Amino acid sequence: MKKWKLFILILVAFLLIFIFVTAFPTMTIDSKQPASQKAEININQEEAVKHLSEAITYKTISYQDREKFDYKEFDRFIDFLQHSYPSVHKELDVERINDYALMFRWEGKDQSKKPVGLTSHYDVVPVLQGTEENWEQAPFSGTVIDEKIWGRGTLDDKVGVIGILQALDYLLEEGFKPERDMYFMFGFDEEVGGDLGASAMAETLKERGIQFEFVLDEGGAIVENMVPGVKSPVGVVGISEKGSATAALSIEGSGGHSSQPKSRTNIGRIAGAIAKLEETQFQEDLKGPGEDLFEYVAPEMDFGMKYIFSNKWIFEPIIEKVLLQQPASAALIRTTIAPTIFQAGEQYNALPEQASAVINLRLMPGDSLEDVKNFIEKTIDDEEIKVEVKGSEATKVSSVEGEPFQTVQQAARNVYDEAVIAPYLMFAGSDAKHYDSVSDNTYRFLPVQITSEDLNRMHGTNEHISAENYINAIKFYVEIIKVSNQ
Ligand SMILES: [Zn+2]
């Protein structure tokens, strides 16, 4: 045989082996979605809509300045709940922590089982002054029009509070009794950190020695066209929250006249430091919740994407390059750097003696505040720039193995049978982190369909929800209570 013939033969053999080795995992990759067990749940839509609509009319607004809280509105809201859900208030124990945080306990038959907690919050963010006019329906009107409910809190997060209470009402009517203790915790200051609400409730539960199987809060939702390569809707369940830190960079030194500048001015040095950080960036790595997300969606992708994701051991660098292209997917795989404040100078002909900048960083699970400081100092490589890092690290990463996550998945699939339910990493904060101390797992999922416009409306203008979406949320809460007690 000629040498070149042998060479081609070996090449073909290698190619075949490569195709076999890489195609095999693609062919055999199993779906991680449980079969939907869709059941008939007949929610009284008219009554449910009336309740959410009225809930919106109470101005339970959170302000950074706690003095500004109008507690009369919070009292009125709690009164409204008592009047609207008499059987829930009769059958469940209700406690008020710090007067306004509401904690309901539904006693289960089997006290040896760990309880499950569902949580949401009834405070809302203010409507920015001057933007009221831009609303199609007044923000605290709770207007119902064309099968949609309008107003602040329809998505974030009175839909959670009212959705859970409607579900409880439905289950009580049905004569349902839980196997395990069920807790329903409603915060009143989530939008300003949750210290008096969720945090205090978690503290109380901890003192009583209560440890949850899992706690479910708002967070991810059912989204479409947001996960690359997946055509079906994806329900993303947050299993961890990124940390949030601020790094203050500052330099002090002689200023001087602008007619004889030094070659390196204070402004130039801080600007240079930021430029270096943006240039370098934290190392990207598809791991943890980001990796989990793709493990759950990959089996549902078309062949090409499935091929790539089921052979991550070869393609990971390419996948990471693609994910880095979009800010939202880049944030999934690395700690992000966002310079938000830059201060220096007062006069056009005087070199400032000080310059400073603030950078907001969102930390991946595993990156500590210490790591961040070291990274910044090493990257900017300028000993005269003082670096101070403050903030919080990412929360613990909850498990996707085993029953707790499957319970959330199953309940979601029972309502949204076309959706792929997958874990992911949350970039924003929620009350969920407060429950990390009393729960083995904390999940973050608001069981409604959300578009990118909805995301802007949540803390912006024209927040509203369709009746269908809201009814699905109620059904989800019915399902999760049932599945948790099977
Ligand atoms: Zn919220």
Side-chain angles (χ1 to χ4, degrees), residues 117-123 153 155-161 164 185 187 189-191 215-221 236-241 424 426 428-433 435 442-448 458-459 463 476-477:
L118 304 183
T119 177
S120 43
H121 63 92
Y122 69 92
D123 61 313
L155 289 168
D156 184 11
D157 177 25
K158 282 179 174 164
V159 62
V161 177
I164 289 169
M185 293 89 75
D189 62 347
E190 190 272 349
E191 298 293 358
V215 168
L216 178 83
D217 192 11
E218 61 171 344
V236 286
V237 179
I239 57 170
S240 174
E241 278 166 40
Y424 91 121
M426 264 209 2
S430 80
D431 266 347
K433 58 182 168 292
Y435 295 100
T442 46
Y443 301 118
R444 300 147 178 89
F445 177 64
L446 186 70
V448 297
M458 273 190 173
H459 284 201
E463 186 176 350
F476 169 83
Y477 290 123

Side-chain angles (χ1 to χ4, degrees), residues 209-220:
I210 288 159
Q211 186 71 16
F212 290 97
E213 170 107 328
F214 71 86
V215 168
L216 178 83
D217 192 11
E218 61 171 344

Side-chain angles (χ1 to χ4, degrees), residues 94 157 222 228 239 276 278 280 338 355 371-372 380 449 471 481:
V94 197
D157 177 25
I222 310 271
I239 57 170
K276 273 190 195 162
E278 287 189 337
T280 312
D371 294 336
V372 166
I380 65 178
Q449 276 179 291
I471 297 297
I481 294 169

Side-chain angles (χ1 to χ4, degrees), residues 56-61 124-127 138-142 151-152 158:
I56 302 306
T57 62
Y58 301 99
K59 294 185 175 171
T60 49
I61 302 169
V124 296
V125 292
V127 172
F140 293 97
S141 63
R152 179 61 88 224
K158 282 179 174 164

Side-chain angles (χ1 to χ4, degrees), residues 17 22 71 76 110 117 160 285 317 343 351 383-384 475:
I17 291 170
T22 54
Y71 284 111
R76 289 179 59 229
D110 184 351
D285 191 1
Q343 279 174 325
L351 287 161
E383 278 176 8
E384 281 175 55
K475 288 183 180 172

